[in-house]
Amino acid sequence: MAVAAENQSQPPQNDLPDVLILKPPTAFSIFGDHFFHSPKFQFLKPFESPLPLPQFLLTHAQSVQAILTSASGSVTADTIRLLPRLGLVVTTSQGINHIDLSECRRRGIAVAGAGTIFSTDCADSAVGLLLDVLRKVSAANRYVKQGLWSTQGNYPLGYKLGGKQVGIVGLGSIGTEVAKRLEAFPCSISYNSRSKKPSVPYTFYPNVVELAVNCDALIICCALTDETHHLIGKEVLSALGKDGVIINIARGPIIDEKELVQCLIKREIRGAGLDVFEHEPDVPVELLALDNVVMSPHNAVCTTESLEELRKTVVGNFEAFFSNEPLLTPVPLDDRPHSSVAR
Amino acid sequence: MESIGVLMACPMNSYLEQQLENRFKLFRFWTVPDKSSFLASHKDSIQAVVGNAFAGADAMLIEALPKLEIVASFSVGLDKIDLAKCKEKGIRVTNTPDVLTEDVADLAIGLMLAVLRKLCESDRFVRSGKWKSGQYVLTTKFTGKRVGIIGLGRIGMAIAKRAEAFSCPISYYSRTEKPEIKYKYYPSVVELAANCDILVVACALTTETHHVINREVIDALGPKGVLINIGRGPHVDEPELVSALVEHRLGGAGLDVFEHEPEVPEELFGLDNVVLLPHVGSGTVETRQAMADLVIGNLEAHFLKKPLLTPVV
């Protein structure tokens, strides 16, 4: 599929189906507007229009057949109701908590996400953050780069990863990749998931508190749903204990951030590695002073390789839809709370 | 054994120091104002030296201690000990293998992830408040990258095992090919560097491996290649490495060791594709305790005339 550069500056043609972009995805700011270009559909960009969004939607209501959104662009029932011809929502994220799936199911609207293309990068980030927190990589790197090694002596000791018990919250695609990596260090793996998975060799705990009691590090890999909102609170953090580490590469609201901050300040847990926060891009100011926290700007999936995979997946999903072919990465819509795992 | 004199070469671990103090007559070499007169006056009292990666027992020290029977190193590396001199004089040498293998291998992977995924720089980005104004740059995927290991000993094999869990194809250079190993062998370091994305130094420092990472190897590794050094500083021609990084002829580096520790080339401080650590390869509470216990165990075994736990000579 060649990117037809000459189409970029032409006005939308009448014969191409319309895809509405609710909010420009991050990829646009890095690569430009043509990143998800295809000769088989065209984008409507309300953010480039002087019209307020509701008016824009009313104007184009009859032509919008699909939506492209990202993790921060909610697709609500209200928006869906304004678009009678809507048949597909594609999100650039693996997470789908920002889309009203019940409304989509009611109206027969298909949903496609990133599938599992981000799982290995997410898992790599989780392991990288865990190693960084335990072995103080970022903190020691800061120490050396400030010239302190030669003036203030050796850096304080870190903690060994090998032999530690690691608890994975949510053993989906990402959780499984994390487990596979940590087994080599070697860590013992246990997990909590909505249901026990009989074919995996890891120890299952029926709730997160019991999981936390029995592990040295908790890695959050589950989807954000009503059930998992603030799943990690005071009780779980106490159970994890003062030698425990928590890593979150899933969604900020899964952890009660205020509680986490207090535990870290009071050294009630050993440390945390966080790629996500409750109110991104705002980060609790108390964390900025702590050496036992490693933070990243929700970029666990942001590698050039993954973005290219994303491009192919997003374009492929739209092209398949408009050709009446099966979607590449459909999200199953059923009555249970949804996980981000493509089954 | 309280009358046995033990000379500790430099500060290395307070638990070890305490244990040595409790069991032997401990001399702390770094607190002595005039080292040569100290040696002259104490030469008959010192029967053991405890060294580490920074300071050990060179020929001069060995010659100055006629009663020296054993050198116990708080490290696995032996480059600070004159092994030939020890052999010549019948002095025993022990080190701390195996107990630190996992930590060093863990750190090698930690450095690879930190460099490719810019973890330290991402953390800095968040701490600076810049996230409020925009996204951070894209980084490079680690899974599936080709990892080339120089030296496939205990540490090299442990690194390979971990990298395999990230689906990284493994290749290696060693003094001799190991036919029982399934990884791809290259007969030279330059060829290994030309055929991998991440090159790790995991071999011992000897006269042969001094500056094994030179201009030619760095050029072969190239502007997208990453060097990880968890061996010894002198494995790398440091000025060559610095200019390659500053001139973008090398993609990145994760370094735990340097030629003149604790001095680190300042030109590296501002580079976002470089992670610098203060020689912490075995630097965990758990492992340093295990290493200390091994040093004490070897010394006690020697003076009780029992077999040494981890003898080298």
Side-chain angles (χ1 to χ4, degrees):
Chain A
M1 188 216 71
V3 174
E6 61 272 14
N7 284 340
Q8 286 166 38
S9 49
Q10 289 177 0
Q13 294 158 18
N14 289 328
D15 51 348
L16 285 183
D18 284 338
V19 177
L20 176 77
I21 304 181
L22 271 186
K23 204 179 157 179
T26 311
F28 277 16
S29 56
I30 301 169
F31 293 106
D33 280 15
H34 51 279
F35 189 64
F36 294 118
H37 178 85
S38 160
K40 303 206 174 131
F41 55 86
Q42 62 192 358
F43 285 121
L44 293 179
K45 299 171 189 169
F47 44 89
E48 285 179 357
S49 163
L51 292 177
L53 181 63
Q55 255 93 306
F56 186 95
L57 292 181
L58 277 171
T59 312
H60 295 276
Q62 294 307 317
S63 69
V64 171
Q65 295 185 50
I67 283 176
L68 172 64
T69 189
S70 59
S72 54
S74 292
V75 181
T76 61
D78 286 342
T79 302
I80 292 170
R81 283 175 200 143
L82 289 174
L83 304 168
R85 292 193 63 208
L86 184 63
L88 171 67
V89 174
V90 174
T91 178
T92 56
S93 56
Q94 198 153 330
I96 45 170
N97 50 286
H98 55 297
I99 300 171
D100 191 326
L101 298 171
S102 311
E103 191 67 19
C104 289
R105 189 179 65 247
R106 248 196 300 283
R107 292 173 174 267
I109 297 168
V111 178
T116 58
I117 64 177
F118 294 147
S119 296
T120 55
D121 274 345
C122 271
D124 289 356
S125 278
V127 176
L129 285 170
L130 181 59
L131 278 164
D132 195 325
V133 174
L134 286 175
R135 300 299 299 272
K136 303 177 196 255
V137 176
S138 286
N141 175 62
R142 276 198 291 278
Y143 186 76
V144 174
K145 288 189 175 184
Q146 285 165 40
L148 298 176
W149 189 17
S150 47
T151 54
Q152 289 192 20
N154 282 331
Y155 199 68
L157 297 178
Y159 302 95
K160 191 180 166 83
L161 172 60
K164 290 285 195 307
Q165 317 267 9
V166 174
I168 300 182
V169 179
L171 201 67
S173 173
I174 297 172
T176 302
E177 295 288 342
V178 172
K180 182 178 139 209
R181 283 152 177 71
L182 288 176
E183 280 190 292
F185 281 79
C187 292
S188 323
I189 309 292
S190 48
Y191 71 103
N192 166 255
S193 219
R194 278 166 306 171
S195 56
K196 187 170 177 187
K197 293 169 200 269
S199 53
V200 312
Y202 315 131
T203 306
F204 173 77
Y205 287 97
N207 63 69
V208 186
V209 174
E210 264 188 81
L211 181 67
V213 166
N214 288 287
C215 68
D216 306 303
L218 265 187
I219 317 228
I220 313 303
C221 300
C222 58
L224 175 62
T225 64
D226 292 335
E227 285 75 24
T228 63
H229 183 268
H230 281 197
L231 177 68
I232 311 297
K234 201 183 175 78
E235 207 190 345
V236 173
L237 293 169
S238 285
L240 185 57
K242 66 171 183 52
D243 293 337
V245 171
I246 188 159
I247 304 295
N248 191 2
I249 46 85
R251 284 288 180 267
I254 295 171
I255 299 182
D256 181 339
E257 203 161 88
K258 286 197 172 70
E259 272 303 328
L260 176 65
V261 170
Q262 287 308 305
C263 283
L264 286 164
I265 291 171
K266 296 179 194 163
R267 306 249 156 202
E268 285 165 9
I269 63 170
R270 177 170 278 164
L274 309 168
D275 185 51
V276 286
F277 304 84
E278 288 212 69
H279 308 289
E280 294 167 22
D282 289 324
V283 163
V285 64
E286 300 93 324
L287 297 183
L288 305 181
L290 299 178
D291 255 3
N292 58 339
V293 180
V294 180
M295 296 174 280
S296 50
H298 200 155
N299 66 347
V301 312
C302 298
T303 63
T304 45
E305 292 90 337
S306 275
L307 267 281
E308 175 53 24
E309 280 304 304
L310 178 67
R311 191 189 62 74
K312 289 192 227 166
T313 303
V314 165
V315 172
N317 274 307
F318 284 126
E319 289 186 349
F321 177 73
F322 293 123
S323 314
N324 284 316
E325 280 161 22
L327 296 175
L328 303 183
T329 50
V331 173
L333 302 179
D334 55 33
D335 288 322
R336 290 178 305 130
H338 292 280
S339 85
S340 57
V341 175
R343 277 182 272 276
Chain B
M1 282 186 264
E2 283 122 354
S3 59
I4 297 174
V6 174
L7 180 69
M8 200 175 186
C10 62
M12 52 188 83
N13 182 274
S14 43
Y15 165 76
L16 175 61
E17 213 173 300
Q18 191 56 56
Q19 292 296 314
L20 289 171
E21 176 90 60
N22 292 348
R23 292 155 205 266
F24 304 103
K25 188 163 167 49
L26 179 63
F27 297 99
R28 295 173 174 82
F29 207 26
W30 66 96
T31 63
V32 160
D34 182 341
K35 290 192 160 70
S36 34
S37 65
F38 169 85
L39 289 174
S41 52
H42 289 83
K43 61 183 170 62
D44 292 329
S45 333
I46 293 169
Q47 293 164 266
V49 165
V50 172
N52 71 350
F54 298 101
D58 59 13
M60 215 163 70
L61 183 68
I62 294 167
E63 288 293 356
L65 299 172
K67 297 282 175 26
L68 183 61
E69 295 175 24
I70 178 168
V71 177
S73 196
F74 185 68
S75 70
V76 68
L78 299 160
D79 43 286
K80 287 289 199 280
I81 300 172
D82 191 326
L83 294 172
K85 191 112 247 173
C86 289
K87 274 198 188 92
E88 180 198 311
K89 292 184 171 281
I91 296 168
R92 307 305 306 275
V93 177
T94 66
N95 62 349
T96 59
D98 297 317
V99 294
L100 50 65
T101 300
E102 290 183 344
D103 268 355
V104 178
D106 290 354
L107 195 74
I109 302 292
L111 279 170
M112 292 180 204
L113 285 162
V115 174
L116 267 76
R117 300 300 306 274
K118 291 190 154 62
L119 293 179
C120 308
E121 295 300 316
S122 291
D123 178 83
R124 201 174 92 150
F125 183 78
V126 174
R127 285 173 194 267
S128 70
K130 291 197 178 119
W131 191 13
K132 297 186 219 241
S133 329
Q135 257 299 351
Y136 189 58
V137 297
L138 292 184
T139 61
T140 305
K141 192 183 203 64
F142 174 57
T143 286
K145 288 293 187 305
R146 299 168 300 166
V147 173
I149 304 176
I150 302 173
L152 211 60
R154 286 170 291 243
I155 294 173
M157 284 295 288
I159 293 172
K161 180 172 150 229
R162 283 150 177 75
E164 278 193 296
F166 293 81
S167 309
C168 295
I170 310 291
S171 49
Y172 72 101
Y173 166 80
S174 210
R175 280 167 301 185
T176 52
E177 186 172 0
K178 297 168 197 265
E180 72 279 12
I181 300 287
K182 56 187 158 124
Y183 309 133
K184 180 152 174 66
Y185 173 76
Y186 285 97
S188 76
V189 177
V190 172
E191 274 180 82
L192 180 68
N195 288 284
C196 69
D197 304 304
I198 302 169
L199 184 65
V200 190
V201 182
C203 58
L205 178 64
T206 63
T207 43
E208 287 82 28
T209 62
H210 182 266
H211 282 195
V212 63
I213 307 296
N214 55 21
R215 171 78 190 234
E216 205 192 346
V217 170
I218 292 169
D219 284 347
L221 191 49
K224 293 208 163 92
V226 170
L227 176 72
I228 304 292
N229 191 5
I230 46 84
R232 286 286 181 265
H235 275 129
V236 175
D237 182 339
E238 206 159 88
E240 276 296 343
L241 177 67
V242 171
S243 58
L245 287 164
V246 164
E247 293 164 22
H248 308 291
R249 289 183 283 110
L250 182 62
L255 310 170
D256 186 44
V257 287
F258 305 86
E259 289 212 77
H260 308 288
E261 295 170 20
E263 301 302 324
V264 174
E266 285 184 21
E267 301 94 310
L268 300 179
F269 289 3
L271 300 179
D272 72 348
N273 56 341
V274 174
V275 175
L276 306 172
L277 296 179
H279 201 151
V280 293
S282 62
T284 65
V285 168
E286 298 93 330
T287 292
R288 289 289 167 85
Q289 164 120 6
M291 287 164 66
D293 288 341
L294 206 42
V295 168
I296 299 289
N298 274 302
L299 289 174
E300 287 195 330
H302 172 76
F303 291 111
L304 291 173
K305 301 199 189 322
K306 290 186 182 155
L308 296 179
L309 305 179
T310 47
V312 175
V313 170

